[in-house]
Amino acid sequence: MTETTTSSSERPSLPMQGVPQPRREEVLNLPRVHISSHPVMAHKLTAMRDKNTQPPEFYRLVKEIGALLAYEATETLALERVEIETPMRPMIGQRLAGGIGVTPILRAGLGLAEGFREVIPEVQIWHLGLRRDEQTLQAMEYYNQLPHRVDLQVCYAVDPMLATGGSAIDAINVLKRRDIPRLCYLGIIAAPYGLLKLSQTHPDIDIYIAALDESLNDVGYILPGLGDAGDRQFGTL
Ligand code: PRP
Ligand code: URA
């Protein structure tokens, strides 16, 4: 986390200090934003937020929430008809039309992608490494395994935390350079500031989150939040 000093006249200002932030109520009804109201989600999220929850349990909960979010976010996927035979007789069934991509924003998106994959094992996983600079809060790309051949109906950028929105916006920018008919963002906790920024920058995507929190603190962490989602998943506390 950012170290702050107060003695030098050139002390670095805290990146979110004094930055105006929208209130939660102001962003609750943004178009194409879906906030889960499922009680099982709320239950698991509370267990995750608890500071006493240790990394193995935390990672398990990220995966489980990823699976629940995947179920909610795939509600409108396109289907195609397919002829099959049951042990009794032929019938026309349905299957998902076209591929489904999941882009975990490294590192913290990895657990969510695993949970998504448990719901739809056929998903393609496109890894994208973005690291947020703690002084400026700008996201920097350091890894990109997006394929050039694209045959997806939709791709989901997944990352537990939507704080200033910088990482999510950059991830969607990267995905928009591929020819994907539909893009979505899927996350666990959003701050009003980042949610508004993402929604305004990319009004053509659907955004699925488990919870909308209150605000960002001066160094860009979500309140009440859950702390650092990457560190808590991978034990690098
Ligand atoms: C965290 C988080 C998001 C980003 C959110 O990642 O997982 O990717 O910060 O912040 P933003 O909305 O202000 O961009 P971080 O860069 O700390 O990397 P990590 O996943 O490797 O921990
Ligand atoms: N990244 C995190 O992991 N947590 C926050 O609260 C903000 C960004």
Side-chain angles (χ1 to χ4, degrees):
M1 192 172 298
T2 308
E3 196 173 295
T4 61
T5 53
T6 51
S7 54
S8 161
S9 56
E10 289 183 21
R11 70 174 188 268
S13 63
L14 303 176
M16 285 303 294
Q17 196 170 28
V19 176
Q21 299 184 38
R23 284 179 298 111
R24 189 175 182 278
E25 304 74 58
E26 293 172 61
V27 301
L28 260 179
N29 296 311
L30 290 172
R32 304 188 74 157
V33 172
H34 313 262
I35 307 173
S36 179
S37 57
H38 201 293
V40 176
M41 191 82 87
H43 175 84
K44 289 183 187 295
L45 188 49
T46 299
M48 242 183 105
R49 289 182 191 268
D50 189 326
K51 68 178 185 185
N52 295 313
T53 300
Q54 299 301 307
E57 172 76 350
F58 188 91
Y59 185 71
R60 186 178 66 75
L61 288 161
V62 173
K63 280 201 304 182
E64 289 174 0
I65 287 176
L68 293 174
L69 279 168
Y71 190 72
E72 294 192 359
T74 50
E75 189 187 29
T76 57
L77 288 190
L79 292 166
E80 62 188 11
R81 289 156 59 88
V82 57
E83 290 177 27
I84 61 160
E85 287 186 32
T86 77
M88 312 302 288
R89 54 161 242 206
M91 69 164 280
I92 306 289
Q94 293 179 313
R95 69 177 172 205
L96 293 170
I100 296 160
V102 172
T103 295
I105 302 174
L106 307 181
R107 316 164 277 174
L110 286 170
L112 273 183
E114 272 311 299
F116 204 118
R117 201 175 192 183
E118 283 178 9
V119 177
I120 308 179
E122 299 82 8
V123 294
Q124 295 179 27
I125 307 280
W126 295 6
H127 294 92
L128 180 65
L130 299 178
R131 184 181 299 111
R132 187 171 83 144
D133 181 285
E134 294 202 345
Q135 310 297 329
T136 65
L137 301 183
Q138 301 297 310
M140 292 171 302
E141 183 176 326
Y142 63 89
Y143 187 79
N144 181 326
Q145 274 296 343
L146 272 55
H148 290 287
R149 203 173 56 79
V150 173
D151 57 352
L152 304 180
Q153 68 154 297
V154 61
C155 188
Y156 297 87
V158 306
D159 188 342
M161 309 305 275
L162 180 59
T164 66
S167 306
I169 289 168
D170 285 2
I172 299 293
N173 283 336
V174 170
L175 289 172
K176 279 190 171 172
R177 288 183 215 126
R178 300 295 191 280
D179 202 13
I180 306 165
R182 185 175 162 214
L183 295 175
C184 300
Y185 172 87
L186 187 149
I188 299 182
I189 300 179
Y193 182 89
L195 183 63
L196 184 60
K197 279 247 153 42
L198 178 60
S199 163
Q200 287 176 338
T201 310
H202 293 299
D204 51 338
I205 71 164
D206 285 294
I207 301 170
Y208 296 89
I209 53 173
L212 177 62
D213 273 11
E214 294 301 328
S215 61
L216 294 173
N217 69 7
D218 288 348
V219 291
Y221 272 73
I222 300 176
L223 299 175
L226 49 71
D228 191 301
D231 287 344
R232 291 194 68 189
Q233 278 179 80
F234 299 111
T236 49
L237 297 158

